[in-house]
Amino acid sequence: MPKMIHVSIVFLLLFSNAIVYKVCHASSYSRLISGGVDHHHHSPINKQPLAIIAIHKTVIALHESASIRSNLNSLLLGIKVADAQWINIDLEYPEPSQDDWVGVFSPAKFNASDCSSEVGSWPETPTLCTAPIKYMFANQSTTDYVRTGKATLTFRIINQREDFAFALFTGGLETPKLVAVTDPISFPNPKAPLYPRLAHGKAWDEMTVTWTSGYNIDEATPIVEWGFKGQSKKLSLAGTLTFTRGSMCGPPARTVGWRDPGFIHTSFLQDLWPNTMYEYRMGHIMVDGSIIYSDMYTFKSSPYPGQDSLQRVIIFGDMGKAERDGSNEYGNYQPGSLLTTDQLVSDLENYDIVFHIGNLPFANGFLSQWDQFTEQVQRISSVKPYMIASGNHERDFPNSGSFYNTPDSGGECGVPAETMYYVPAHNRAKFWYATDYGMFHFCIADSEHDWREGSEQYAWIENCFASVDRQKQPWLIFAANRVLGYSSNNWLADEGAFEEPMGRANLQKLWQKYKVDIAFYGHVHNYERTCPIYQNQCVNSEISRYSGTVNGTIHVVVGSGGSHLSDFTEINTFWSLYKDQDWGFVKLTAFNHSSLLFEYKKSSDGLVYDNFTISRDYRDVLACVHDGCEDTTLAI
């Protein structure tokens, strides 16, 4: 095909039926755009990489001598339903520079995003209003690109319900100029049911299966086929949810970061036998009666509450997402994410349930990243209950009702997290919930809603603590994303609190009264463990072996799941027993009602770097401690 004809087709692809769109809150979103990034350096950055691209400033400058093409036929991406594909992209450009980059767009007609619902305007009319789902600099794999103008880049894309196009830009991320675009590329079935997420239901014998597809209920009925492993199966219907651009609170989620999330389905598998292996697969019954099925997966049902058996729990926060192809300059943003993911995948046989306590993909308003995250963790979430908590990067946005009036969610205001993942909360918009796993009772708070004394959540926290029978479930665990207890992180130290302000002042009386064993937090991106502590005083001089009366709560920061690491203060915090500025996670192992093992493992090697044990009898939980005694009487 002559190059001029090819350019014309590309131009039509981009601008057929196009209208000029306007985007609101230009000043608000412009604060998310940096002045550029030096992609040759690898120091951690705090911005979502997609926010660095000034996509609204794009100039269309299609060049007749520029070309970009893939190694795959446009509609033959694999020979069966698949959820990921590696693609080589060959590009040529006669005027190369070190700032040239390739963006991956989905849908392929990436000018078609509807920004017209926004009120207001940019200082200049935007040509493009849709951010790419990932990008890579042209010289990332070819050192002589600037000399030759030729490069081959390797991308990994996942099924996200739409077709894809690869676009070559010059001018860097700050002043991008579009010079060439590939033909569209599609998966065989873009609508396929994918990325299963298991979670506990509201009853101990209920497991929920949540997944994403492109099928609405008017074209297919969502189901789960499931049953005992190796035996006949039954069908359970699923409910379907989605959300719209109008559900977002502000930019970029409402503007350049918007991408249709597809349809989120959840089925409730009930009346499970305890500690039993089940098989399941998601499916959609089409109008003609045929069924589109996913792969088959397995899970082990939860033990009966209070059951005495080996029970193992993984806890971490702030993992983020990363790109296995090296795109999005991910090494600068979530450098440890894949380390943690891959370490947990390699050890699947040695734990039973996962708690990811807030700050999941750090999408920050770029909604394509939620698909990327659910795909990244699916080898875990498809076979283990994957319980989440709400963090600032899921919920917070000004005037959205969050406790913290920050823009950290990028306009998501909790909607993607609440829809993409199921939690057994009474109201998923208020992301606090309790769940049991055998001898464990978990109270998962929502630090982005008010937790102070007198609030709705405070009353719930006390009820969650008070409702547990410690003779049957001796291990009482509290968790929240923000540090409501103790942390030697430098910014909390600078505030003079070593915690979120008002955290301990409001909650420590509950931890003490109900003898909470361990309180876990994310948000701060490191690992730290305190002594058993109450009112800023260590109440036990032991370091690694605890026994007897529960007279103080151990506080653990484990926001080390994968995001850029946080610095510790130089102040000597006497209550801090172990600090580690590295990526890792915690594993709790309950051997029986009186023996608990705590281990902190690094994501890089899976080895234990900090540990302690708790040994005690039921009478030690009942024992009277300071500010934790019930009223008594001498009456006879």
Side-chain angles (χ1 to χ4, degrees):
M1 179 184 292
K3 290 182 178 177
M4 284 302 294
I5 297 177
H6 175 70
V7 170
S8 299
I9 291 175
V10 171
F11 190 88
L12 289 173
L13 171 68
L14 284 170
F15 293 97
S16 60
N17 301 318
I19 61 175
V20 175
Y21 298 111
K22 295 186 178 181
V23 185
C24 79
H25 305 304
S27 60
S28 298
Y29 180 66
S30 64
R31 290 196 295 270
L32 299 176
I33 303 294
S34 77
V37 59
D38 183 351
H39 57 274
H40 302 289
H41 296 303
H42 296 284
S43 57
I45 60 174
N46 296 335
K47 287 182 179 292
Q48 158 61 250
L50 298 176
I52 298 169
I53 303 172
I55 198 69
H56 64 289
K57 294 183 179 180
T58 299
V59 173
I60 306 300
L62 296 174
H63 197 294
E64 65 178 11
S65 297
S67 68
I68 181 171
R69 55 192 178 275
S70 77
N71 65 327
L72 293 177
N73 187 297
S74 62
L75 295 176
L76 295 176
L77 204 60
I79 59 175
K80 66 174 185 176
V81 174
D83 60 7
Q85 184 77 46
W86 290 89
I87 300 179
N88 289 331
I89 298 297
D90 298 316
L91 58 94
E92 293 186 33
Y93 184 51
E95 303 171 16
S97 73
Q98 67 175 2
D99 293 324
D100 296 349
W101 57 280
V102 173
V104 184
F105 290 84
S106 180
K109 189 184 290 186
F110 50 87
N111 73 307
S113 179
D114 177 14
C115 301
S116 59
S117 61
E118 300 302 318
V119 180
S121 62
W122 291 93
E124 60 252 309
T125 301
T127 307
L128 297 181
C129 63
T130 302
I133 63 173
K134 60 167 66 178
Y135 65 92
M136 191 182 297
F137 286 97
N139 64 3
Q140 184 155 323
S141 61
T142 308
T143 56
D144 62 350
Y145 167 75
V146 176
R147 181 179 61 83
T148 65
K150 298 180 180 180
T152 297
L153 302 178
T154 301
F155 286 92
R156 181 179 184 269
I157 62 173
I158 66 169
N159 193 341
Q160 292 185 254
R161 301 169 303 283
E162 296 282 357
D163 55 4
F164 297 82
F166 297 80
L168 175 60
F169 292 83
T170 188
L173 304 179
E174 190 176 19
T175 56
K177 295 181 181 179
L178 176 65
V179 296
V181 184
T182 66
D183 293 329
I185 296 172
S186 296
F187 280 85
N189 181 8
K191 295 185 175 184
L194 294 170
Y195 316 134
R197 287 91 76 182
L198 297 176
H200 282 172
K202 292 181 180 179
W204 73 268
D205 60 351
E206 180 179 63
M207 189 74 77
T208 67
V209 182
T210 299
W211 73 96
T212 306
S213 85
Y215 294 114
N216 198 359
I217 56 174
D218 59 358
E219 57 182 326
T221 301
I223 59 167
V224 171
E225 181 187 75
W226 66 286
F228 296 123
K229 188 173 183 180
Q231 299 186 25
S232 60
K233 305 296 187 289
K234 56 184 175 181
L235 300 182
S236 290
L237 292 174
T240 299
L241 297 172
T242 190
F243 53 90
T244 66
R245 186 193 296 268
S247 305
M248 303 294 96
C249 290
R254 201 174 173 107
T255 55
V256 297
W258 170 255
R259 188 179 189 276
D260 192 297
F263 301 98
I264 316 302
H265 316 279
T266 299
S267 183
F268 297 82
L269 314 186
Q270 299 174 326
D271 299 323
L272 303 178
W273 293 19
N275 292 100
T276 301
M277 293 301 300
Y278 287 88
E279 290 180 322
Y280 75 95
R281 57 178 176 171
M282 304 90 70
H284 294 267
I285 304 175
M286 311 305 291
V287 175
D288 64 4
S290 63
I291 304 178
I292 303 296
Y293 276 119
S294 72
D295 293 336
M296 186 72 77
Y297 303 93
T298 63
F299 69 85
K300 186 178 182 180
S301 58
S302 298
Y304 186 78
Q307 177 181 303
D308 197 337
S309 61
L310 182 68
Q311 297 158 13
R312 304 154 302 178
V313 179
I314 298 294
I315 303 176
F316 61 86
D318 301 75
M319 185 162 73
K321 62 159 286 289
E323 297 292 346
R324 295 189 183 278
D325 57 18
S327 59
N328 284 14
E329 294 291 274
Y330 86 86
N332 289 338
Y333 186 54
Q334 311 290 356
S337 176
L338 292 179
L339 288 176
T340 302
T341 300
D342 293 347
Q343 191 61 243
L344 293 175
V345 168
S346 70
D347 201 37
L348 278 171
E349 298 302 314
N350 295 311
Y351 60 88
D352 305 300
I353 185 172
V354 173
F355 286 86
H356 185 160
I357 54 174
N359 291 347
L360 279 66
F362 290 81
N364 295 5
F366 291 88
L367 299 186
S368 64
Q369 307 304 284
W370 279 95
D371 284 322
Q372 304 277 346
F373 178 78
T374 56
E375 191 272 339
Q376 177 178 303
V377 301
Q378 73 159 341
R379 290 182 64 188
I380 305 168
S381 66
S382 62
V383 295
K384 308 291 181 182
Y386 199 92
M387 312 303 296
I388 70 167
S390 178
N392 55 307
H393 288 276
E394 280 78 55
R395 182 61 182 84
D396 294 357
F397 201 75
N399 302 313
S400 70
S402 57
F403 190 38
Y404 293 85
N405 198 37
T406 70
D408 294 351
S409 77
E412 294 179 10
C413 53
V415 174
E418 295 160 13
T419 309
M420 299 287 285
Y421 281 84
Y422 177 84
V423 296
H426 177 70
N427 179 348
R428 284 161 70 179
K430 299 174 181 177
F431 224 76
W432 53 81
Y433 64 92
T435 194
D436 296 316
Y437 193 84
M439 294 174 286
F440 290 97
H441 183 68
F442 296 92
C443 297
I444 310 299
D446 179 355
S447 61
E448 310 315 300
H449 281 89
D450 193 353
W451 30 259
R452 294 171 298 178
E453 189 168 3
S455 68
E456 179 185 2
Q457 185 172 191
Y458 183 93
W460 174 85
I461 293 172
E462 178 160 23
N463 182 67
C464 186
F465 292 161
S467 63
V468 62
D469 179 348
R470 298 298 287 277
Q471 192 274 327
K472 296 181 177 62
Q473 293 179 295
W475 312 116
L476 179 56
I477 307 297
F478 175 80
N481 179 250
R482 289 180 184 263
V483 179
L484 303 180
Y486 294 82
S487 167
S488 299
N489 180 70
N490 59 0
W491 83 69
L492 295 175
D494 291 342
E495 293 176 357
F498 300 105
E499 57 153 343
E500 292 294 333
M502 303 176 287
R504 293 196 302 270
N506 283 270
L507 295 174
Q508 67 177 342
K509 65 182 71 176
L510 296 184
W511 298 324
Q512 184 75 354
K513 178 179 179 181
Y514 295 101
K515 301 180 178 67
V516 173
D517 290 295
I518 310 174
F520 287 96
Y521 314 103
H523 194 64
V524 171
H525 302 165
N526 53 40
Y527 168 77
E528 185 173 15
R529 169 173 67 97
T530 75
C531 59
I533 192 169
Y534 179 57
Q535 291 186 340
N536 298 336
Q537 299 296 317
C538 292
V539 296
N540 192 315
S541 60
E542 287 288 342
I543 295 177
S544 60
R545 292 184 178 88
Y546 301 106
S547 60
T549 305
V550 186
N551 52 7
T553 298
I554 297 169
H555 294 261
V556 177
V557 174
V558 63
S560 50
S563 192
H564 56 278
L565 295 169
S566 302
D567 293 326
F568 289 103
T569 180
E570 295 181 359
I571 299 171
N572 180 28
T573 49
F574 66 90
W575 34 259
S576 182
L577 298 185
Y578 192 98
K579 301 184 185 79
D580 189 34
Q581 190 182 28
D582 203 351
W583 299 294
F585 53 91
V586 163
K587 180 179 180 181
L588 298 177
T589 302
F591 297 100
N592 50 50
H593 284 74
S594 59
S595 299
L596 180 72
L597 172 64
F598 173 106
E599 297 172 299
Y600 162 67
K601 297 185 175 187
K602 285 184 186 290
S603 299
S604 57
D605 56 20
L607 300 179
V608 177
Y609 286 80
D610 182 32
N611 67 88
F612 64 83
T613 60
I614 300 176
S615 301
R616 63 161 183 255
D617 295 324
Y618 178 47
R619 64 179 181 179
D620 298 320
V621 181
L622 296 177
C624 181
V625 298
H626 181 68
D627 287 349
C629 301
E630 299 294 337
D631 292 335
T632 60
T633 177
L634 295 177
I636 58 173

